[in-house]
Structures are given as structure tokens and as C-alpha cells.
């Protein structure tokens, strides 16, 4: 395992190994399969690009409930601090009226992205909206939104790998790394 990686002047250390990610994925998929066990029509999974593409791809292959897949591209982040606004770079291409919707996010930091996006989804009158995130930073978002499926709660640290980037680099790392302090 490559235990440390460097981008510019920043060094990152392994935080969540790919083995631990697999354990998390299996548990999350089990929770989702159970939650939707009685629903026969496909659930619309909406992946928020770019960061969640690997998580989404791994998660769907563990789901036994029928699904459809949609992608949106929202951006609320530049460098390592939140900008406090959400831009739609790729919009949803389908109607959600009368559908069960599950939003798949890589990481919830301030919660702003999902707070704004959930309000927009509600306008389409889906039957249900649930949220699944691989990582959550509760000390940052203070539970301003309800998260239905959480892979792992982490502190207010900056993480990369497994889809998460630092200035678009590092997304292909199989493990999740965190900024090394000191
Ligand atoms: P908010 O603050 O709206 O932000 O919940 C969610 C989006 O911000 C990005 N984000 C991160 N990206 N490492 C990253 O590579 C991080 O530690 C991190 N924290 C937030 C991410 O795109 C997420 O969708
Ligand atoms: Mg993201």
C-alpha cells in the first residue's frame, strides 16, 4: 500500500483503506436493499459528479433492488474551502414525479450542496427522497440535512482519493487519504 502521497506542498496519509471501503460498501448496500425491499418500481439513483462516480459504480453493483441511474454535476467547492453557492453544470434529464429518489454523494461537508439540491428535487414531487453519502462531516454540517445512509462519519479534515480530488488530481487512488498535519 502506498501509505503517503504528495500533491504540491501537501502530504496525505492513508485514512480509509480500500478493504475498509469494501466493508462500508457492503453494509450500505445491505441497508439500501432492506430499505427498498418492498418497492417494485425502479429507484432513481442520482449521483452527484464528479466526486461520487467511483462510489456510485461500486455501490450499484451491490444493489439487488431495481434502479435507474442519473448523473448531475453540481459544484460548490474550489480548492479547499467551500464557496457557499451551488452551480448546475449538468442538469437532470428525467422527470422524478412519482418516483423514489436516492441521491448518492461522495462527501457531505457543509451540507449546502445537498440542502439546495434537495429543495430543487422536492419541486418535482418525487414519492420519496433519501440521501446516501460515503463520508459525512457532522462537525461541519451540524445535521442541517437528514442523511439516510452514511458510510462513515469523519472529522473536519480534507480527504482525497476514491473519486475525491485535490484540484482534480488524486481521484484514481484506491484508498481514501487525509491531509497530514505537521
Ligand atoms: P458541501 O459543503 O456542499 O460540499 O457539503 C460537498 C462537496 O464538497 C466537496 N468536498 C470535498 N472534496 N475532499 C474533497 O475532495 C474533501 O474533504 C471535501 N469536502 C467537501 C465534494 O465535492 C462534495 O461533493
Ligand atoms: Mg461531490
Amino acid at each position: 500500500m502506498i501509505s503517503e502521497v504528495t500533491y504540491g506542498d501537501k502530504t496525505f496519509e492513508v485514512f480509509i483503506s480500500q478493504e475498509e471501503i469494501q466493508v462500508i460498501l457492503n453494509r450500505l448496500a445491505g441497508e439500501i436493499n432492506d430499505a427498498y425491499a418492498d418497492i417494485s418500481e425502479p429507484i432513481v439513483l442520482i449521483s452527484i459528479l464528479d466526486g461520487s462516480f467511483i462510489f456510485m459504480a461500486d455501490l450499484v453493483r451491490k444493489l439487488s433492488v431495481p434502479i435507474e441511474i442519473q448523473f448531475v454535476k453540481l459544484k460548490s467547492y474550489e480548492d479547499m474551502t467551500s464557496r457557499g453557492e451551488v452551480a448546475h453544470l449538468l442538469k437532470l434529464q428525467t422527470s422524478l414525479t412519482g418516483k423514489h429518489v436516492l441521491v448518492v454523494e461522495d462527501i457531505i461537508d457543509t451540507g449546502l450542496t445537498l440542502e439546495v439540491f434537495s429543495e430543487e428535487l422536492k419541486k418535482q414531487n418525487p414519492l420519496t427522497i433519501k440521501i446516501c453519502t460515503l463520508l459525512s462531516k457532522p462537525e461541519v454540517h451540524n445535521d442541517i440535512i437528514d442523511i439516510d445512509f452514511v458510510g462513515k462519519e469523519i472529522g473536519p479534515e480534507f480527504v482525497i482519493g476514491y473519486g475525491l480530488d485535490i484540484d482534480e488530481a488524486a481521484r484514481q487512488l484506491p484508498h481514501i487519504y487525509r491531509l497530514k498535519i505537521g
Side-chain angles (χ1 to χ4, degrees):
M1 183 195 299
I2 303 168
S3 59
E4 284 191 357
V5 291
T6 300
Y7 293 91
D9 59 356
K10 297 184 180 66
T11 301
F12 293 81
E13 60 190 0
V14 171
F15 177 37
I16 309 172
S17 69
Q18 60 182 343
E19 292 77 17
E20 189 182 345
I21 294 171
Q22 285 305 312
V23 173
I24 292 170
L25 285 169
N26 287 333
R27 177 181 49 78
L28 277 178
E31 289 175 15
I32 294 168
N33 286 332
D34 287 349
Y36 294 101
D38 298 331
I39 291 167
S40 53
E41 64 273 23
I43 303 147
V44 182
L45 263 64
I46 304 177
S47 161
I48 304 185
L49 295 173
D50 298 327
S52 68
F53 78 109
I54 294 180
F55 175 45
M56 178 77 156
D58 281 350
L59 182 69
V60 294
R61 283 176 284 177
K62 295 178 185 291
L63 296 181
S64 52
V65 289
I67 59 163
E68 290 173 11
I69 292 174
Q70 292 287 324
F71 292 94
V72 293
K73 186 161 176 161
L74 311 174
K75 215 162 177 65
S76 69
Y77 230 67
E78 259 174 15
D79 299 326
M80 289 168 64
T81 48
S82 194
R83 264 161 59 220
E85 61 183 65
V86 175
H88 279 247
L89 307 177
L90 174 65
K91 291 193 174 162
L92 204 60
Q93 303 293 328
T94 189
S95 165
L96 302 175
T97 309
K99 301 273 183 78
H100 293 283
V101 173
L102 178 61
V103 179
V104 177
E105 178 62 301
D106 49 355
I107 185 163
I108 301 180
D109 187 42
T110 64
L112 179 82
T113 307
L114 277 185
E115 198 183 19
V116 174
F117 188 55
S118 301
E119 286 309 311
E120 291 174 8
L121 292 179
K122 279 179 199 157
K123 290 180 196 150
Q124 292 203 36
N125 293 318
L127 277 178
T128 59
I129 303 175
K130 290 187 191 289
I131 293 172
C132 173
T133 189
L134 177 61
L135 301 173
S136 170
K137 300 183 186 175
E139 288 164 53
V140 183
H141 59 69
N142 290 314
D143 299 318
I144 59 162
I145 48 164
D146 287 331
I147 312 171
D148 302 276
F149 308 99
V150 181
K152 188 179 173 91
E153 291 189 338
I154 66 171
E157 50 221 331
F158 188 75
V159 294
I160 59 168
Y162 194 72
L164 293 156
D165 72 307
I166 176 158
D167 296 338
E168 298 304 326
R171 293 192 196 275
Q172 81 269 34
L173 298 175
H175 315 287
I176 294 171
Y177 290 74
R178 71 174 159 201
L179 190 61
K180 197 174 165 185
I181 311 290

